[in-house]
């Protein structure tokens, strides 16, 4: 009896959580295929009469300038992700392979920085970016996104710790320096960790709204996340177009996640056991 009750509670809670998570997405899909008159006269829970009505998608993509926003997003993501992976791997390699004074202090500072709410540092960060002459340039976002996170360092550290140090020692006997050891031996063995960090940081950057909206006043420079906000002003009463824009925004990152999700699970699993 207890087992039946536990199973009922488990599957019931899973079903409830699934409904709560999927219901908003379902309403967006319904709204995206309705025209304006159907949207305002029918219930949000009512399916669209014509599933082949793609006018809202065309209007959101063309009038909203989503093509340029996708190009901006790809550029920012590519540069910031590559830089973020390298800085995180550098930091993890230095903290794991070298013994130096202040090593524990550096680790503590990374943990402390992770605990400080980002909003409390926005004033000083904004002044720093403006002082560097990066305000209203995409490099402001790239520099901020390249910042090393404690999660990325943790993932890289677990993989680097699993690599035998005899590889480093053999390379040093052959005359290799630390830079060459990192790029020729350590980094090629971090592919699962790199894939995990790329997905985690990529999704976070793709969905980021606050930083692009704060640092990019020129609408032509903004990524796709802020383009959706522009629909609110220009298409304030046309929610069916906004729903179509949301779907267009979700599709690329959803496809990327579905293809690479196993690397995320493998990366966290490996990090938990090594």
């Amino acid at each position: 009896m207890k087992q039946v009750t536990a199973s009922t509670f488990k599957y019931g809670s899973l079903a409830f959580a699934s409904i709560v998570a999927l219901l908003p997405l379902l309403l967006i899909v319904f709204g995206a295929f309705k025209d304006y008159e159907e949207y305002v006269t029918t219930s949000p829970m009512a399916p669209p009469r014509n599933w082949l009505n793609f006018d809202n998608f065309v209007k959101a993509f063309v009038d909203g300038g989503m093509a340029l926003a996708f190009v901006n997003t790809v550029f920012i993501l590519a540069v910031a992700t590559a830089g973020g992976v390298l800085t995180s791997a550098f930091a993890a390699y230095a903290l794991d392979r070298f013994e130096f004074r202040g090593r524990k202090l550096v680790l503590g500072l990374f943990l402390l920085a992770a605990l400080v709410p980002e909003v409390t540092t926005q004033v000083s960060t904004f002044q720093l970016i403006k002082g560097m002459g990066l305000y209203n340039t995409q490099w402001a976002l790239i520099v901020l996104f390249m910042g090393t996170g404690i999660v990325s360092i943790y993932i890289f550290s677990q993989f680097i710790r699993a690599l035998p140090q005899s590889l480093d020692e053999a390379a040093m006997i052959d005359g290799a320096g630390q830079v060459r050891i990192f790029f020729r031996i350590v980094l090629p063995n971090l592919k699962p960790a790199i894939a995990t960090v790329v997905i985690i940081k990529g999704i976070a950057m793709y969905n980021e709204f606050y930083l692009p909206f704060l640092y990019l006043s020129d609408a032509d420079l903004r990524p796709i996340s802020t383009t959706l906000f522009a629909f609110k002003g220009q298409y304030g009463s046309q929610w069916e177009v906004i729903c179509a824009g949301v779907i267009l925004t979700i599709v690329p990152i959803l496809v990327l996640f579905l293809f690479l999700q196993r690397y995320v699970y493998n990366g966290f699993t490996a990090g938990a056991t090594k």
Side-chain angles (χ1 to χ4, degrees):
M1 184 62 184
K2 289 183 178 179
Q3 187 176 1
V4 174
T5 305
S7 298
T8 303
F9 177 78
K10 179 176 68 177
Y11 289 109
S13 60
L14 289 175
F16 178 75
S18 300
I19 293 173
V20 171
L22 294 177
L23 185 59
L25 292 176
L26 183 64
L27 298 183
I28 289 173
V29 172
F30 284 174
F33 289 92
K34 296 179 179 178
D35 56 27
Y36 175 75
E37 182 178 357
E38 183 182 3
Y39 186 86
V40 297
T41 56
T42 61
S43 168
M45 301 291 293
R49 288 191 289 266
N50 182 11
W51 285 97
L52 298 178
N53 177 24
F54 296 103
D55 293 344
N56 296 328
F57 294 92
V58 175
K59 189 170 186 178
F61 191 82
V62 176
D63 295 350
M66 296 186 74
L68 179 59
F70 274 119
V71 172
N72 294 335
T73 302
V74 170
F75 172 71
I76 294 172
L77 276 179
V79 180
T81 302
V85 166
L86 282 178
T87 54
S88 299
F90 282 148
Y93 180 68
L95 293 172
D96 187 76
R97 283 291 199 263
F98 299 98
E99 291 290 340
F100 54 90
R101 184 178 297 178
R103 178 172 173 272
K104 292 184 178 179
L105 176 62
V106 173
L107 282 172
L109 290 176
F110 273 116
L111 290 172
L112 179 63
L115 297 175
V116 176
E118 291 186 9
V119 67
T120 60
T121 61
Q122 284 305 313
V123 175
S124 57
T125 303
F126 183 86
Q127 292 177 339
L128 182 62
I129 292 296
K130 192 173 183 179
M132 295 170 65
L134 299 179
Y135 178 73
N136 199 28
T137 69
Q138 293 174 337
W139 289 101
L141 298 182
I142 292 172
V143 170
L144 292 174
F145 287 149
M146 282 174 59
T148 300
I150 188 64
V151 175
S152 302
I153 294 178
Y154 172 78
I155 294 173
F156 281 122
S157 295
Q158 303 309 309
F159 280 85
I160 292 175
R161 197 166 301 159
L163 297 177
Q165 294 200 12
S166 58
L167 293 175
D168 300 19
E169 296 168 355
M172 293 179 69
I173 292 175
D174 290 339
Q178 293 295 338
V179 176
R180 188 175 181 184
I181 292 174
F182 176 81
F183 282 104
R184 299 295 296 273
I185 297 177
V186 176
L187 197 59
N189 286 285
L190 297 179
K191 290 178 181 177
I194 292 173
T196 305
V197 172
V198 165
I199 295 171
I200 295 173
K201 292 181 73 72
I203 292 176
M205 287 186 282
Y206 188 85
N207 293 329
E208 177 64 39
F209 169 78
Y210 176 71
L211 292 179
F213 192 72
L214 178 64
Y215 290 99
L216 295 178
S217 58
D218 188 350
D220 292 337
L221 298 176
R222 291 177 178 174
I224 194 67
S225 57
T226 53
T227 303
L228 290 177
F229 181 79
F231 291 155
K232 182 177 175 54
Q234 187 174 0
Y235 305 106
S237 60
Q238 299 180 358
W239 291 104
E240 70 282 3
V241 180
I242 298 177
C243 290
V246 170
I247 294 176
L248 292 174
T249 305
I250 291 175
V251 168
I253 201 67
L254 179 62
V255 172
L256 179 66
F257 179 78
L258 291 178
F259 274 104
L260 301 178
Q261 60 176 328
R262 64 188 178 95
Y263 291 106
V264 178
Y265 301 140
N266 292 340
F268 278 119
T269 303
T273 56
K274 290 179 181 176

